[in-house]
Amino acid sequence: MTPPPPPPPGPDPGADPAADPCPCPGSLVVLFGATAGALGRDLGSDETDLILLVWQVVEPRSRQVGTLHKSLVRAEAAALSTQCREASGLSADSLARAEPLDKVLQQFSQLVNGDVALLGGGPYMLCTDGQQLLRQVLHPEASRKNLVLPDTFFSFYDLRREFHMQHPSTCPARDLTVATMAQDLGLETDATEDDFGVWEVKTMVAVILDLLKESSSQLFSKPEVIKQKYETGPCSKADVVDSETVVRARGLPWQSSDQDVARFFKGLNVARGGVALCLNAQGRRNGEALIRFVDSEQRDLALQRHKHHMGVRYIEVYKATGEEFVKIAGGTSLEVARFLSREDQVILRLRGLPFSAGPMDVLGFLGPECPVTGGAEGLLFVRHPDGRPTGDAFALFACEELAQAALRRHKGMLGKRYIELFRSTAAEVQQVLNRYASGPLLPTLTAPLLPIPFPLAPGTGRDCVRLRGLPYTATIEDILSFLGEAAADIRPHGVHMVLNQQGRPSGDAFIQMTSAERALATAQRCHKKVMKERYVEVVPCSTEEMSRVLMGGTLGRSGMSPPPCKLPCLSPPTYATFQATPTLIPTETAALYPSSALLPAARVPAAPTPVAYYPGPATQLYLNYTAYYPSPPVSPTTVGYLTTPTAALASAPTSVLSQPGALVRMQGVPYTAGMKDLLSVFQAYQLPADDYTSLMPVGDPPRTVLQAPKEWVCL
């Protein structure tokens, strides 16, 4: 049997460790690199590939150095910048004959191990001039090319920091260079050396050997660490986040996960749970994310990745604040904290679940091939404040393979509904729970309450009916057909369809009937009739109960609950039940609106007066729980329409207004459309090209004639 090789030489085990002048645990590999683009402090900021590596091994205990090695890395000729070409003297031909990055890294490991063994050193650690080479160049490029870096590339010593600890009065560490460090130490360097990268490595070795003369326990004792994996975790509303550690990334693909965002910042240390994907008003991702790093230096390096690419998309990176991060990612629920307390879990979001679905239904839907971590304990159902299910849930999976298996169930059927599955994050869980717990997902704007015609009359008489379980695709015409003969007893503007917190149909509608007797008869005749393969419950209710639900409250079999918020801006402007006192409009708010928009209550145009309709300002200001749908036979077909002011009607030709069907309204006109663009649409019709009097101004009541062509639309 061949005897094992003798151990490498080292310090005497019986010697006093305090007497050892070198605290460094092993060999140092001094490493220098360059890309085909920017150099120096901007290295890696232009997302160009690595073209050069130069290194040399230093054995700190014996003060010996190994052979200096230089290796070119293959790069495209078009990637060479003028700055790089002049500084390095490299040509496109020499780089085209070089080895690719993966081959160069293999050669690097072999040569370093050979030199370390020859010098009798132990485990080695990389030492670089600054952090850009590893964090901004090597790790991002390896991630783009799907290369797996050895463990030795995930920890290193920053020579600038080591020098600054020994000589803090020189200048900040980030402003140091190899030349300034050598000059401060009084080292003589070879000024005749013109081989690119060789002078830098030789000078760095000289600086290291000079620093090792000083006996210091802090020298080369705390290496810089690059995280190999992003760690998920919860964030609390009570956490204090430093604004110097947060950035905002914009332009992300909507299907990006937190792991994808962390991979975009590969090489930089993202804090635990530091990726917060932002959601829009409807609860969907808007292509933005807030990222929190472990320190300000990592944040500054992240800002240099502005307009770097994720796939084919470039990503914009800007500064953000700690308050913004806590607002998006922070939570207060103990249930969510317990759910997210499991580490190294992959989170998936399930959307569109039946309201009756429970944990066993979801586990059965996912199947035994992709088990949820902890079974039912690994599921988190999202509910309204009153406990009603929303159809959303989150599930935890132990590894990426199980999550991939679960994602293959995307749009699978559970009962009669298909279920959507997406990758999710801890911050998204917090956002969704926070939004449902705090109120509507759609934002509400503070605006004056502008009453429109036909306000709801207050009362407790049960002269209304409630329709529950409507198909989500049901329209006004479907409801009128469903009611049949009872549709003739609907009051003017008496159809109200309720939207959920995402702005989608909720399956509920309220109908105002002409009397309580007609409402009861309608409920008895239509209760549990079928509309599009679904039976619909029809029950009588009062105007007060209807108004409460339209304000955001609930009306169930157990009674009526108040709205979650009593702010008047949550109420559509016609609900007179809640307008016990006149609405006071602040002076500064009223100045923003034309006087004709502030109409008195119950303003109804006279029958003989010709009327043209345009959308009132309130239509664009209210984004709330409900939508107001007037009945087609007795009202205009658009929500919240106000009558055109008299001054505008007076300026229009009477012949046009009096002709039935003579007015058309164009929707979706581009903002850049001019007069000629509008007229070109009607070239084949009998519209004189010079007859501009048939174009009516919209949305500008105080003016009778508009001069700028871009402010005209056709009515």
Side-chain angles (χ1 to χ4, degrees):
M1 178 181 295
T2 303
D12 185 3
D16 184 7
D20 191 354
C22 179
C24 187
S27 300
L28 295 176
V29 179
V30 181
L31 182 64
F32 173 84
T35 66
L39 303 175
R41 184 180 298 181
D42 297 329
L43 184 69
S45 61
D46 50 7
E47 206 178 9
T48 52
D49 288 347
L50 188 72
I51 62 170
L52 175 68
L53 281 179
V54 185
W55 68 92
Q56 189 173 21
V57 178
V58 177
E59 215 299 304
R61 300 182 185 276
S62 62
R63 307 295 195 273
Q64 296 180 356
V65 297
T67 306
L68 190 145
H69 300 275
K70 180 177 180 179
S71 180
L72 297 181
V73 185
R74 183 185 302 172
E76 299 295 335
L80 282 176
S81 67
T82 304
Q83 180 186 11
C84 175
R85 195 185 306 273
E86 294 177 353
S88 64
L90 298 175
S91 64
D93 295 337
S94 60
L95 293 177
R97 295 190 299 267
E99 296 289 346
L101 180 60
D102 55 342
K103 298 294 184 181
V104 172
L105 294 179
Q106 292 179 6
Q107 297 175 4
F108 171 83
S109 298
Q110 294 173 0
L111 293 174
V112 168
N113 289 328
D115 290 346
V116 170
L118 184 63
L119 296 176
Y124 64 88
M125 187 81 69
L126 301 179
C127 181
T128 62
D129 175 31
Q131 304 195 26
Q132 282 84 353
L133 176 59
L134 291 180
R135 294 191 184 274
Q136 296 287 73
V137 178
L138 196 55
H139 278 273
E141 184 175 347
S143 177
R144 293 195 302 268
K145 297 180 178 179
N146 294 320
L147 302 180
V148 179
L149 293 176
D151 293 341
T152 54
F153 287 94
F154 287 88
S155 59
F156 65 100
Y157 290 115
D158 183 357
L159 184 57
R160 299 185 186 183
R161 286 193 173 183
E162 301 297 330
F163 181 87
H164 187 264
M165 284 191 300
Q166 302 300 317
H167 303 272
S169 61
T170 304
C171 63
R174 65 179 61 186
D175 297 332
L176 289 172
T177 63
V178 176
T180 57
M181 287 187 287
Q183 182 180 1
D184 186 73
L185 295 175
L187 301 178
E188 295 183 1
T189 59
D190 186 3
T192 62
E193 181 66 63
D194 58 353
D195 194 358
F196 183 63
V198 173
W199 180 88
E200 286 80 359
V201 171
K202 288 183 177 180
T203 307
M204 291 170 63
V205 170
V207 171
I208 292 174
L209 293 177
D210 190 86
L211 292 176
L212 290 174
K213 295 178 182 179
E214 304 175 8
S215 178
S216 174
S217 60
Q218 296 182 354
L219 189 62
F220 297 111
S221 59
K222 296 181 179 180
E224 303 289 329
V225 177
I226 300 176
K227 289 186 176 181
Q228 299 193 26
K229 184 179 179 181
Y230 167 68
E231 300 175 351
T232 61
C235 175
S236 173
K237 288 288 187 182
D239 291 347
V240 178
V241 178
D242 185 4
S243 295
E244 296 298 319
T245 63
V246 182
V247 300
R248 178 185 296 272
R250 297 179 57 185
L252 299 169
W254 65 268
Q255 69 273 24
S256 299
S257 66
D258 54 350
Q259 298 292 343
D260 297 325
V261 176
R263 185 177 181 182
F264 174 78
F265 291 102
K266 189 70 173 180
L268 305 180
N269 292 341
V270 180
R272 184 173 183 267
V275 178
L277 298 173
C278 302
L279 306 180
N280 59 16
Q282 287 75 34
R284 300 177 182 271
R285 298 174 186 173
N286 61 2
E288 295 188 8
L290 293 174
I291 301 93
R292 177 188 179 189
F293 296 92
V294 295
D295 54 41
S296 59
E297 186 172 1
Q298 309 285 314
R299 194 282 303 266
D300 294 339
L301 293 175
L303 292 174
Q304 293 184 0
R305 301 198 186 183
H306 179 59
K307 291 195 174 180
H308 284 202
H309 287 76
M310 180 185 290
V312 297
R313 301 177 62 115
Y314 71 86
I315 309 301
E316 301 175 358
V317 183
Y318 303 99
K319 292 182 179 180
T321 64
E323 291 77 8
E324 292 175 329
F325 182 86
V326 173
K327 182 178 180 181
I328 295 296
T332 57
S333 173
L334 294 178
E335 181 184 11
V336 178
R338 287 193 297 268
F339 177 77
L340 299 176
S341 62
R342 297 182 176 91
E343 298 182 359
D344 300 329
Q345 299 292 315
V346 182
I347 306 176
L348 296 186
R349 181 179 180 182
L350 293 84
R351 194 165 61 194
L353 294 170
F355 294 150
S356 59
M360 294 299 105
D361 300 318
V362 176
L363 295 177
F365 166 76
L366 294 173
E369 63 276 5
C370 44
V372 177
T373 301
E377 297 295 327
L379 295 174
L380 178 64
F381 289 86
V382 184
R383 301 182 182 277
H384 291 285
D386 58 0
R388 291 179 294 115
T390 64
D392 281 22
F394 295 93
L396 295 176
F397 295 90
C399 61
E400 185 66 28
E401 291 72 16
L402 295 179
Q404 288 287 353
L407 287 173
R408 286 193 283 270
R409 296 286 295 158
H410 178 59
K411 291 194 174 181
M413 300 299 295
L414 177 56
K416 295 184 178 180
R417 304 189 58 139
Y418 72 87
I419 311 302
E420 299 175 306
L421 285 90
F422 305 97
R423 292 180 178 272
S424 188
T425 66
E428 185 173 3
V429 176
Q430 298 281 24
Q431 287 182 80
V432 173
L433 269 294
N434 290 343
R435 287 171 182 264
Y436 278 106
S438 60
L441 277 174
L442 295 177
T444 57
L445 302 180
T446 303
L449 296 178
L450 305 179
I452 64 174
F454 313 107
L456 302 181
T460 57
R462 307 181 71 81
D463 56 351
C464 304
V465 292
R466 181 185 186 184
L467 279 63
R468 298 181 58 184
L470 292 169
Y472 294 143
T473 58
T475 62
I476 296 294
E477 290 72 17
D478 296 329
I479 292 178
L480 297 178
S481 176
F482 172 80
L483 295 177
E485 297 179 356
D489 299 319
I490 300 177
R491 295 178 57 186
H493 289 251
V495 181
H496 307 267
M497 297 184 70
V498 183
L499 305 182
N500 62 15
Q501 292 181 328
Q502 287 80 20
R504 303 172 184 170
S506 65
D508 282 19
F510 288 93
I511 311 295
Q512 289 180 278
M513 310 301 292
T514 54
S515 64
E517 292 76 14
R518 302 309 306 166
L520 180 60
T522 301
Q524 293 174 345
R525 185 184 303 113
C526 301
H527 184 57
K528 290 195 175 183
K529 282 180 58 178
V530 176
M531 177 190 297
K532 296 182 179 181
E533 300 183 355
R534 297 190 62 167
Y535 74 86
V536 180
E537 299 178 358
V538 183
V539 293
C541 65
S542 66
T543 306
E544 181 181 1
E545 294 171 332
M546 176 186 68
S547 300
R548 286 293 181 93
V549 175
L550 296 181
M551 280 280 291
T554 58
L555 176 62
R557 295 180 177 87
S558 59
M560 180 172 58
S561 64
C565 181
K566 297 182 180 180
L567 295 177
C569 60
L570 289 178
S571 172
T574 59
Y575 300 154
T577 303
F578 297 91
Q579 298 177 5
T581 59
T583 303
L584 299 179
I585 303 175
T587 305
E588 57 273 13
T589 304
L592 300 177
Y593 302 94
S595 58
S596 58
L598 306 177
L599 301 177
R603 175 179 176 180
V604 182
T609 305
V611 176
Y613 289 92
Y614 72 94
T619 309
Q620 305 298 327
L621 295 177
Y622 287 95
L623 297 171
N624 48 23
Y625 282 113
T626 61
Y628 179 75
Y629 288 82
S631 304
V634 294
S635 65
T637 57
T638 308
V639 181
Y641 271 47
L642 307 177
T643 55
T644 303
T646 307
L649 288 174
S651 63
T654 307
S655 59
V656 174
L657 296 177
S658 61
Q659 297 175 10
L663 300 178
V664 294
R665 180 172 181 263
M666 300 176 64
Q667 291 182 321
V669 177
Y671 298 125
T672 58
M675 180 75 70
K676 293 183 180 179
D677 300 319
L678 299 177
L679 294 178
S680 64
V681 179
F682 300 98
Q683 286 182 355
Y685 301 91
Q686 296 180 359
L687 177 67
D690 56 348
D691 187 8
Y692 295 154
T693 58
S694 60
L695 296 176
M696 289 292 296
V698 172
D700 197 0
R703 299 166 65 180
T704 57
V705 178
L706 299 179
Q707 302 297 333
K710 290 185 180 180
E711 298 184 15
W712 290 89
V713 298
C714 293
L715 282 176

